[in-house]
Amino acid sequence: MSDTWVEVCAADEIDEEDVIRFDHSGRTFAIYRSPEDTYHATDGLCTHEKIHLADGLVMDHVIECPKHNGRFNYKTGEAKGAPVCVDLRTYPVKVEGGTVFIGL
Amino acid sequence: MANFVIVGAGECGARAAFALREKGFDGAITLIGSEAHLPYERPPLSKDALVAGAGPKLVAEATRYAEARIDVLTGRAVVEIDRAGNRILFDDGAALPYDKLLLATGARPRALPGTRHGGRIAALRSHDDAARIRAHLVEGSHIAILGGGFIGLELAASARKLGATVTLIEGLPRVLSRGVPAEIAEIVAHRHAAEGVEILCGAKVAGVEELPGEVCLTLESGRIVSANLLVVGIGAVPNTELAEAAGLVVENGISVDGRLRTSDPDIFAAGDCTSYPLPLYGERRIRLESWRNAQEQGQLAAANMLGGTQAHSAVPWFWSDQYDMTLQIAGLADGAATTVRREVGEGAFILFHLDAGGRLIAASGIGPGNVVARDIRLAEMLIAARVHPDPAELAAPETKLKKLLAA
């Protein structure tokens, strides 16, 4: 269970099958909206070279790093192969009253 | 037990070695490199390795090779492929048998005719090259760079960050003539000028002389450029000597078919050393010097060494980082009949290149950070899908490229 729910943005500020960057307390996260309209969150930087994933492309359940095309399943954080071999950390997300919250 | 041998321990060779294991190969894998380091990524050499003095960014730590049972031989020179005997020979006379052999020998920097790399003339290809160049990149030093390609320009940006004075000499009328549209090259050149880099285009070198403490270039115009170090970045030459001596077909690189097979069924080749036919561009034979191509071909070669039949079909893709700008290119633009521009915001834009029949064949973008990355990635998929998009739609910022892909 998360200790704190932090407000991210309005649910409709993220397009379906897209991602935004969210900075909080000196940390950076990537917040996703899936094609099935579910919301997800991971660490914001690629595990390969610390690039902001929110500049990358979301296809289905995969986020692809904008720099070197490292791919992760953003629902599980799983690294999908070279050049990335370290999984992304994921965080719980909830939507209440049209607002997205990340559990930190 | 089967022996698979990979000659060349760069990005391509290392990726191939891991891919063999990931695809279930249970035999012996030997990865042979001529450098002293474990396989490392080369893109940082013109950036972090120079600016921050970062050590080699390894493709994988030593433990991962051990876990994958990949035998890495560093600092070893392979001098011959004995095709009749299915073995390779080292310079010390040792031999290693192979059932399948992958040549991932890469490329080496082209030398300025009449000069050698050493002393105050350097090239940038290896981590040791970067360390040597870095020693000269200090406040008050003067670096001359020959060649306005990606390497020369990235090096210029890194040198300016460290406070060195930079003169960049390009023989052609503009920088980035190979594969980068003039509109983008102009932005790059302008930024370098604003950062204090002196760029001399259309400048031919008449002579180079090493003097105590400096290197002196005389240009055909009569101008003399004196510098603490000259870095030559005028392209790369594929390392094809082993293949050629073994009688394999070589045409601007070790010639392979779409499946990365050489003219010997037991020998494959991949990465910078290889020329291959590209179906997307009418089976035209090309040779790419790119990080992603090295990776993709390494993985594909591994699959096909294990009996796979897939042909290489990826869209060529390049990037370059200079200052806070990133340039990305997908596809080959040189057959373009029409170019349309799409604004991305923050001053960034993308040029879409269409051939005479209206097919999207390339996209080139430049902007701060990674703002063009997503659209270039989508463009790459559109190119692969051989779409004929409406140019007006491409140009309109409100058009979602993802929608064009679904159409």
Side-chain angles (χ1 to χ4, degrees):
Chain A
M1 286 304 291
S2 306
D3 295 320
T4 322
W5 289 103
V6 176
E7 182 177 333
V8 175
C9 64
D12 60 7
E13 280 179 48
I14 312 176
D15 288 342
E16 258 181 42
E17 200 178 38
D18 208 347
V19 58
I20 64 159
R21 172 175 165 181
F22 175 61
D23 292 347
H24 177 75
S25 285
R27 297 168 67 189
T28 187
F29 305 92
I31 316 292
Y32 310 83
R33 184 173 170 187
S34 75
E36 302 82 45
D37 209 15
T38 56
Y39 290 78
H40 307 271
T42 68
D43 272 334
L45 300 178
C46 181
T47 58
H48 172 238
E49 273 197 359
K50 300 201 183 338
I51 302 292
H52 281 286
L53 289 168
D55 288 324
L57 181 66
V58 177
M59 292 294 273
D60 209 6
H61 302 145
V62 173
I63 174 70
E64 187 179 80
C65 175
K67 191 58 113 187
H68 306 126
N69 312 102
R71 294 181 188 121
F72 302 91
N73 179 326
Y74 58 80
K75 292 186 165 182
T76 62
E78 181 203 356
K80 310 281 284 181
V84 290
C85 43
V86 178
D87 292 351
L88 272 181
R89 182 170 168 195
T90 59
Y91 300 86
V93 170
K94 66 175 181 181
V95 181
E96 273 180 14
T99 300
V100 182
F101 295 87
I102 180 172
L104 298 176
Chain B
M1 190 172 70
N3 269 322
F4 280 17
V5 173
I6 302 169
V7 178
E11 184 77 38
C12 183
R15 295 295 180 197
F18 282 106
L20 283 172
R21 209 51 102 200
E22 281 156 20
K23 291 175 196 305
F25 178 64
D26 200 36
I29 302 173
T30 309
L31 176 62
I32 305 160
S34 57
E35 290 184 58
H37 309 282
L38 281 176
Y40 57 88
E41 299 193 22
R42 294 192 197 276
L45 296 181
S46 53
K47 307 173 227 39
D48 276 2
L50 293 176
V51 176
K57 180 174 170 50
L58 299 181
V59 172
E61 298 295 331
T63 49
R64 285 190 52 217
Y65 292 96
E67 282 162 17
R69 290 176 291 121
I70 296 166
D71 197 6
V72 189
L73 309 181
T74 54
R76 296 293 300 273
V78 175
V79 293
E80 192 187 330
I81 304 166
D82 170 13
R83 284 170 61 192
N86 264 56
R87 57 183 198 149
I88 56 161
L89 304 175
F90 294 91
D91 58 349
D92 60 7
L96 184 66
Y98 64 81
D99 294 291
K100 296 281 181 212
L101 174 66
L102 173 62
L103 299 174
T105 48
R108 61 178 178 275
R110 179 175 288 126
L112 179 66
T115 67
R116 299 183 53 229
H117 298 140
R120 291 188 178 270
I121 303 175
L124 179 51
R125 177 79 190 179
S126 67
H127 183 75
D128 296 349
D129 291 338
R132 197 170 135 234
I133 292 170
R134 178 176 155 77
H136 289 272
L137 299 182
V138 293
E139 197 92 37
S141 73
H142 184 190
I143 306 299
I145 299 168
L146 185 61
F150 286 154
I151 293 271
L153 290 164
E154 289 178 7
L155 168 61
S158 295
R160 287 303 298 141
K161 278 186 194 165
L162 293 170
T165 302
V166 179
T167 304
L168 188 144
I169 299 148
E170 165 61 53
L172 294 171
R174 67 165 172 98
V175 298
L176 296 175
S177 310
R178 203 174 61 152
V180 179
E183 208 170 330
I184 288 178
E186 197 178 310
I187 287 173
V188 172
H190 198 263
R191 178 60 184 274
H192 278 277
E195 298 281 349
V197 176
E198 186 186 21
I199 298 184
L200 307 174
C201 284
K204 303 271 192 301
V205 176
V208 178
E209 195 180 1
E210 276 196 76
L211 302 169
E214 62 174 1
V215 55
C216 228
L217 282 90
T218 306
L219 305 183
E220 284 183 359
S221 64
R223 178 164 167 186
I224 291 172
V225 178
S226 296
N228 300 96
L229 182 73
L230 166 65
V231 185
V232 179
I234 53 172
V237 182
N239 293 322
T240 57
E241 286 77 1
L242 270 182
E244 213 163 351
L248 298 176
V249 176
V250 169
E251 33 184 340
N252 179 32
I254 303 167
S255 182
V256 294
D257 66 4
R259 297 185 196 176
L260 309 181
R261 298 176 295 191
T262 67
S263 43
D264 180 323
D266 290 336
I267 305 179
F268 292 71
D272 289 15
C273 65
T274 302
S275 71
Y276 69 100
L278 198 51
L280 263 178
Y281 299 91
E283 301 288 338
R284 165 180 161 193
R285 182 165 287 278
I286 62 166
R287 186 175 70 80
L288 294 177
E289 293 160 10
S290 101
W291 178 84
R292 194 159 104 190
N293 182 63
Q295 204 175 92
E296 287 168 346
Q297 289 199 340
Q299 287 168 340
L300 181 62
N304 290 345
M305 287 164 84
L306 295 171
T309 57
Q310 209 190 324
H312 187 77
S313 60
V315 176
W317 180 85
F318 307 89
W319 92 92
S320 177
D321 296 331
Q322 298 167 36
Y323 309 105
D324 62 344
M325 298 184 305
T326 293
L327 180 169
Q328 286 198 1
I329 295 176
L332 302 176
D334 49 2
T338 315
T339 293
V340 293
R341 174 168 165 148
R342 175 189 176 94
E343 303 298 331
V344 186
E346 299 180 55
F349 65 90
I350 290 175
L351 301 176
F352 291 97
H353 312 279
L354 299 103
D355 70 10
R359 181 163 77 92
L360 181 66
I361 53 170
S364 325
I366 189 164
N370 290 310
V371 298
V372 300
R374 194 188 302 213
D375 280 355
I376 291 287
R377 180 68 177 104
L378 284 163
E380 182 193 327
M381 293 186 221
L382 290 166
I383 294 164
R386 301 175 187 242
V387 296
H388 293 68
D390 175 357
E393 273 203 297
L394 286 176
E398 62 274 16
T399 306
K400 295 227 170 207
L401 296 181
K402 215 183 238 182
K403 294 268 157 49
L404 296 181
L405 196 58

